[in-house]
Amino acid sequence: MNTSLSAAFRRRACLAAILLALSPAAAPAQELAGDAGDRPRVRRFLDPSSWLRRSPDARRRFDPGLRLVRQDPPEPDLKVPAADRALGGGDPPADGTDQSSSSPSSTPDDDSPNDADSTSAPDLDVPAADRSLGGGDPPAASDSSSAVAPAPRPAPSTSSGTSGGGSSPRRADITSPAATRDIGGGRPPASRQGAQAEAARDRPDAPKHLMDLLGYQDSPVKVHGWIQNSYTGNANGRGRSGENVGVWPNHKANWWQGNQYYVVVEKPAKLGDDIDFGFRLDNLFGNDWQWDYMQGLFVNEFPLNSFAAYNPAQIYGELHLPILTEGGVGVKGGRFYTIAGYEQVPATARPLLSTPYMFTFGQPFTHFGVLTTWHVTDKINLYNGAINGWDRWIDIRYAWGYLGGLSWTSEDDRTTLAMTAVWGPNQFPSFLPADQQIYLTGYVNVPSLAGLRNPGYWRNGRTFFTWVGTHKWNDRLTQVVETDQGWERAIPGLGSGARNGAPRDATWFSLGNWFLYDFTPKLTGVWRSEIFWDPQGARLQNKVGDQFVGDRYHEMTLGLVYKPHPNLWIRPEARLDWSQFHPAYTDDSRKSQLTLAVDAVILW
């Protein structure tokens, strides 16, 4: 009995001794050594005072508001044995102090510099053989006495070439193809969407925007635009029609025009490591509404050539997906400017007031659909999408076609090549009314067929290719070359001069060249020349007698872009047009025309 009591007493005494040894009261040196976060887990658990409080390090680890990237280890004291170090399994003596308290890296709030005599913490980013701790020896270039902190990683850039809410609105680069601009369906290569693009926006000659003056430069939603007015004189006179044939958008002879009173509301989608959303709404007021007309919206709502008119030139949402490659994939859905060709509808997206035949009569202006841009590399973009045709609004009867292409930019950013393909039905399921004010280019109005079903809509497709190359020969001279090819099957009415529905196939081809030379930062000279083949007369629809006739149209334009202020553009131009075979100008009485024009664009 006594033996049993003695054994039980010894077991209880041993248990009490163990508990006493593990408790904080039995190790006051541990309390002096630092906070509870540095003590063994058992001791923290047995200390009730630690249950309701967290150490500064623990708060830093668990507080989501503090974005601590890395916790540096405590500095070891190489003057004491390994058993007395706080690094590893050792423990400092009871009369010692916490070694981490002398290390600047363990106290983020301490701004004092390192002591010259203190030992540096081990660098966990290099092999053990290159650390000054233990038997290793750092290379001479990485000696702690001369080490240089690594450069921070740049912030992710956005689609507008910025990395924050304070970015400038997106602007068109007129030295690049439409496919590589970020104002419509296109996207610039990833190499032009970072600090390089932001630096271009911070140049002294960059325009200042109204949002900046009002103090809203940091808003993620941008509101900006421009006002464009022009005057065009025709050396041949006005004629009965009053038209400058082939010259758009300044098509009125000897006439002032309020071309574009343009308002953009946009939120660019950021290009980074996260999914991001954006949108863009372009509002076009002024005479150019009918130039950028789309079938199915506001039909006959505004008088022809009226200034008081409206066109929602673009309305789309966009999405950035960080998938497949480092640049990710961009998606745009809605109505957007085409990626085909070089020149575009906005006044700030072309070097001259007037546009060439190849753009006005040979290409689409806008599409409605979905377009993706895959940044295959930082220099290559791949475009793929589905559209309901050329320049038309929503109609469930429309068949879907294809829009796609490829763009490549050289390593030195001096050369860019872009190819675009557009395919699909581009007639209409039913023939359009006979009394419309405007018909899309390529549509032949046959009054006797108005409202009837078009049996060839589904099978009579249109195929179109554009090829654009740009090259910066030096810091002053940029050259742009574009060639287009188009085909369409069985256009109703083309074979009969619109007297009946007799169909005819059509083709058209073009070649254009631009030289842009910067005389000074404020003055740029522009020389454009082109030739446009319209063999069946489907695009310009010039008639001789009661038949459409084909022709070859030439155009040469000399102009200037003068910017006395970053927010003001003045662009005078002299343009000569001529047809090769048939009179086409001044009421079909002449084979040439000379126009002198000037416009002023005020950016806000």
Side-chain angles (χ1 to χ4, degrees):
M1 183 68 177
N2 293 335
T3 302
S4 299
L5 289 174
S6 176
F9 178 80
R10 286 197 299 271
R11 286 196 298 270
R12 292 173 182 173
C14 289
L15 179 60
I18 292 172
L19 294 177
L20 185 62
L22 294 175
S23 66
Q30 294 294 332
E31 293 293 340
L32 297 174
D35 55 59
D38 295 327
R39 298 197 304 271
R41 294 182 180 178
V42 175
R43 297 187 183 183
R44 294 200 306 269
F45 177 78
L46 294 175
D47 182 6
S49 65
S50 68
W51 297 352
L52 299 178
R53 65 183 175 90
R54 287 179 177 172
S55 68
D57 286 341
R59 286 195 297 271
R60 282 192 292 270
R61 286 194 298 270
F62 292 100
D63 187 356
L66 299 175
R67 308 176 72 175
L68 191 59
V69 176
R70 172 180 166 185
Q71 291 283 353
D72 291 331
E75 282 192 16
D77 186 357
L78 301 183
K79 299 177 182 179
V80 299
D84 291 337
R85 301 176 191 167
L87 179 67
D91 206 7
D95 60 344
T97 57
D98 189 357
Q99 298 176 33
S100 64
S101 62
S102 63
S103 171
S105 61
S106 63
T107 55
D109 296 331
D110 185 5
D111 295 329
S112 62
N114 288 333
D115 238 3
D117 296 334
S118 65
T119 305
S120 62
D123 185 356
L124 301 183
D125 293 329
V126 300
D130 291 338
R131 302 177 191 167
S132 59
L133 177 65
D137 192 13
S142 60
D143 194 316
S144 60
S145 63
S146 61
V148 179
R153 290 185 63 185
S157 62
T158 67
S159 60
S160 59
T162 63
S163 57
S167 61
S168 299
R170 292 180 279 196
R171 293 188 295 145
D173 179 6
I174 61 173
T175 64
S176 64
T180 60
R181 301 175 189 169
D182 204 12
I183 65 164
R187 274 283 182 90
S191 62
R192 293 183 181 176
Q193 297 189 47
Q196 178 183 2
E198 183 62 19
R201 288 167 171 79
D202 291 337
R203 295 182 312 181
D205 60 343
K208 304 300 184 291
H209 294 88
L210 182 61
M211 291 189 64
D212 301 335
L213 300 178
L214 297 178
Y216 293 100
Q217 63 272 15
D218 293 330
S219 172
V221 177
K222 308 298 179 184
V223 181
H224 61 101
W226 56 86
I227 296 174
Q228 180 198 24
N229 293 278
S230 69
Y231 180 83
T232 304
N234 192 318
N236 294 348
R238 284 183 53 84
R240 296 189 305 274
S241 67
E243 293 287 320
N244 302 315
V245 175
V247 179
W248 281 84
N250 50 320
H251 63 105
K252 299 298 291 181
N254 304 336
W255 205 266
W256 282 99
Q257 290 183 257
N259 297 91
Q260 296 186 7
Y261 285 58
Y262 210 98
V263 181
V264 179
V265 182
E266 65 171 344
K267 177 195 174 296
K270 295 180 181 179
L271 179 65
D273 296 332
D274 300 318
I275 296 176
D276 197 56
F277 299 88
F279 66 88
R280 178 163 173 140
L281 172 62
D282 288 28
N283 305 275
L284 172 56
F285 302 89
N287 292 120
D288 283 4
W289 72 272
Q290 65 193 63
W291 182 44
D292 191 25
Y293 169 78
M294 58 180 169
Q295 180 63 35
L297 183 66
F298 302 145
V299 178
N300 295 337
E301 290 294 327
F302 309 111
L304 204 60
N305 299 319
S306 172
F307 170 79
Y310 170 69
N311 186 342
Q314 291 195 112
I315 177 170
Y316 65 78
E318 59 180 327
L319 172 67
H320 170 70
L321 300 173
I323 59 176
L324 299 181
T325 54
E326 185 176 356
V329 176
V331 183
K332 293 183 179 181
R335 187 195 188 198
F336 48 82
Y337 288 129
T338 186
I339 62 173
Y342 167 63
E343 298 201 6
Q344 292 180 294
V345 169
T348 58
R350 41 194 164 90
L352 296 167
L353 163 61
S354 67
T355 58
Y357 289 87
M358 60 197 312
F359 175 70
T360 305
F361 300 100
Q363 300 175 7
F365 294 157
T366 61
H367 304 286
F368 191 94
V370 177
L371 181 64
T372 65
T373 303
W374 176 23
H375 299 285
V376 182
T377 70
D378 63 345
K379 300 293 184 180
I380 299 176
N381 286 351
L382 185 63
Y383 309 92
N384 285 285
I387 56 172
N388 68 356
W390 295 26
D391 305 301
R392 57 193 67 197
W393 189 236
I394 305 170
D395 192 320
I396 60 174
R397 300 177 301 162
Y398 291 158
W400 290 94
Y402 173 77
L403 171 65
L406 177 72
S407 68
W408 168 83
T409 303
S410 64
E411 289 297 326
D412 59 3
D413 285 338
R414 287 185 173 272
T415 304
T416 301
L417 298 175
M419 187 279 292
T420 305
V422 188
W423 173 86
N426 270 278
Q427 299 176 13
F428 294 93
S430 299
F431 292 102
L432 300 180
D435 58 350
Q436 276 195 196
Q437 296 182 118
I438 305 172
Y439 295 97
L440 297 182
T441 300
Y443 178 83
V444 178
N445 179 33
V446 182
S448 60
L449 298 180
L452 300 180
R453 178 177 173 271
N454 179 8
Y457 167 68
W458 292 91
R459 63 177 180 269
N460 297 334
R462 180 184 296 174
T463 304
F464 181 68
F465 293 99
T466 66
W467 308 78
V468 181
T470 69
H471 182 71
K472 296 180 181 179
W473 293 101
N474 51 51
D475 292 339
R476 292 178 178 268
L477 179 62
T478 299
Q479 183 179 7
V480 181
V481 178
E482 177 183 347
T483 178
D484 303 342
Q485 305 85 37
W487 303 267
E488 184 170 356
R489 291 182 55 191
I491 300 177
L494 185 62
S496 66
R499 296 191 309 275
N500 54 53
R504 186 182 183 186
D505 295 346
T507 59
W508 61 99
F509 312 95
S510 58
L511 176 65
N513 184 86
W514 292 255
F515 284 111
L516 289 78
Y517 188 83
D518 294 330
F519 293 102
T520 71
K522 294 185 177 182
L523 183 64
T524 300
V526 183
W527 174 23
R528 181 182 65 206
S529 56
E530 70 159 327
I531 180 171
F532 183 81
W533 288 270
D534 186 17
Q536 294 79 32
R539 308 310 293 179
L540 273 81
Q541 298 188 7
N542 186 26
K543 277 188 175 184
V544 173
D546 57 0
Q547 291 290 335
F548 295 116
V549 294
D551 214 322
R552 192 174 300 163
Y553 299 89
H554 304 259
E555 168 260 327
M556 188 175 294
T557 305
L558 293 175
L560 295 172
V561 183
Y562 176 51
K563 301 178 181 180
H565 186 277
N567 289 68
L568 175 61
W569 298 7
I570 300 175
R571 301 186 295 192
E573 69 172 49
R575 171 169 172 160
L576 177 64
D577 297 68
W578 70 96
S579 58
Q580 188 162 348
F581 302 112
H582 308 284
Y585 307 98
T586 317
D587 305 320
D588 297 333
S589 65
R590 299 193 179 203
K591 295 176 65 175
S592 65
Q593 79 178 1
L594 173 66
T595 54
L596 303 175
V598 63
D599 75 337
V601 183
I602 301 175
L603 290 78
W604 56 268

